Amino acid sequence: MSVHSISSGKPKKMTIHIILIVGAIIMTTPFFWMVLTSLKTFGESTQVPPVIFPSHLEWKNFTEIFITLPFFNFYLNTVFTTFFKTFGQLVFCSLAAYAFARIDFPAKNFLFILLLSILMVPNQAYIIPQYLIMVKLEWLNSLKALIVPGITSAFGTFLLRQFFLTIPSELEDAAKLDGCNHFQIYWRIMLPLAKPGLIAHAIFTILWSWNDLMWPLIVNNSPSKMPLSAGLASLQGQYMTDFPVLMAGSLLATWPMILMFIILQKQFVQGIALTGTKG
């Protein structure tokens, strides 16, 4: 490699890094603004022109959120529903994905295309039918109404199917020679090898469930059954919103997701990178 090509490559890399840094600053600015607002007084949060840094740190906003709302109960509801949604999606989506990836059955391709067509329909189109089902089952104002509609996913099935297709078929053939049936192959071989894909899908599901707002507001109006998203939305009044307390609650609701991504970042990136390498 010539000296000219090395020297010409440095400005290009520097430009890319500058663009990435600017993009990172733009993406993280709302988060830092939320942190700063959570430490302001109400007057500072509504002042024009905006006050960037608070004159003194108002830590009482973080205790006020527990006085204003049953915040701890919101946390328990969110953790409970998120856990069972994620568990259900990993079980049902992985089973369906294995069937579409490794088992030959009549109309498999047609059914898979039909499954993918669900992704083309906006989620809002399902709200009325799902709500009517909840009414018939008498599940309104219950955690079951939050959990059951979210334990399956067309996207999750597609994601894990693409991952299962990357696993060499020789492993499956060897297992069949040893007398394993499809469920044993799925449980003992496919799932352990698909760990990065499962972690990636789990992160997607946790984020979606943790931030879900519209559906909880529709099926639940009881504060004892609300998750964090719906509970925090109740702080937005018609005439006035206590922004420091709202931002303090949002920050407390956000930190578990940030911590999860930091811990599982490597597995998440690996799962996304390996998915879809074979069609």
Side-chain angles (χ1 to χ4, degrees):
M1 183 179 296
S2 64
V3 177
H4 176 72
S5 61
I6 296 176
S7 60
S8 62
K10 288 183 179 180
K12 184 178 180 180
K13 288 184 178 180
M14 186 176 296
T15 303
I16 293 174
H17 281 84
I18 291 174
I19 294 173
L20 292 175
I21 291 172
V22 172
I25 292 174
I26 294 174
M27 294 291 291
T28 55
T29 295
F31 175 77
F32 287 111
W33 186 259
M34 177 178 68
V35 175
L36 293 173
T37 304
S38 68
L39 298 172
K40 296 177 184 178
T41 62
F42 176 76
E44 289 176 332
S45 68
T46 58
Q47 186 172 328
V48 179
V51 175
I52 299 178
F53 296 100
S55 57
H56 62 278
L57 304 181
E58 289 286 338
W59 296 105
K60 69 180 182 65
N61 293 327
F62 290 92
T63 57
E64 187 69 23
I65 188 68
F66 288 93
I67 299 173
T68 307
L69 297 172
F71 198 74
F72 185 72
N73 191 51
F74 293 163
Y75 244 113
L76 291 180
N77 292 339
T78 305
V79 171
F80 185 81
T81 55
T82 299
F83 172 80
F84 282 100
K85 280 183 182 179
T86 305
F87 179 78
Q89 290 229 7
L90 291 179
V91 172
F92 293 114
C93 291
S94 63
L95 284 169
Y98 173 75
F100 281 119
R102 296 296 188 176
I103 300 176
D104 291 327
F105 54 89
K108 181 176 77 170
N109 293 332
F110 171 77
L111 292 175
F112 184 67
I113 294 174
L114 190 64
L115 178 72
L116 291 182
S117 65
I118 298 175
L119 299 175
M120 305 177 193
V121 181
N123 292 333
Q124 291 79 3
Y126 304 127
I127 289 179
I128 294 178
Q130 286 181 340
Y131 180 80
L132 294 177
I133 293 173
M134 296 300 107
V135 172
K136 292 291 184 181
L137 295 175
E138 298 181 353
W139 282 4
L140 296 181
N141 286 318
S142 70
L143 295 180
K144 292 180 289 187
L146 300 179
I147 296 172
V148 174
I151 60 175
T152 60
S153 167
F155 170 75
T157 302
F158 169 75
L159 181 74
L160 295 177
R161 173 191 176 268
Q162 297 304 108
F163 200 95
F164 284 141
L165 288 174
T166 65
I167 299 175
S169 59
E170 290 79 8
L171 295 174
E172 184 180 5
D173 295 337
K176 289 180 179 179
L177 291 176
D178 289 336
C180 293
N181 55 35
H182 280 297
F183 183 78
Q184 290 172 325
I185 295 172
Y186 158 80
W187 182 256
R188 297 180 180 180
I189 297 176
M190 294 297 175
L191 281 187
L193 293 176
K195 183 180 177 181
L198 293 171
I199 292 176
H201 180 51
I203 293 175
F204 279 129
T205 306
I206 291 171
L207 289 174
W208 163 73
S209 177
W210 197 271
N211 297 321
D212 191 20
L213 174 62
M214 183 177 294
W215 181 245
L217 286 176
I218 291 173
V219 296
N220 284 344
N221 54 32
S222 172
S224 62
K225 303 298 181 182
M226 283 186 178
L228 282 169
S229 55
L232 289 173
S234 65
L235 284 175
Q236 294 182 324
Q238 183 177 0
Y239 301 106
M240 188 189 75
T241 300
D242 194 338
F243 292 106
V245 175
L246 177 60
M247 293 299 103
S250 301
L251 185 60
L252 291 174
T254 303
W255 75 262
M257 298 297 97
I258 298 174
L259 184 63
M260 177 195 68
F261 184 79
I262 292 174
I263 295 174
L264 300 176
Q265 181 179 10
K266 181 179 178 181
Q267 290 85 348
F268 174 73
V269 174
Q270 182 182 3
I272 297 299
L274 294 178
T275 300
T277 57
K278 181 178 179 181

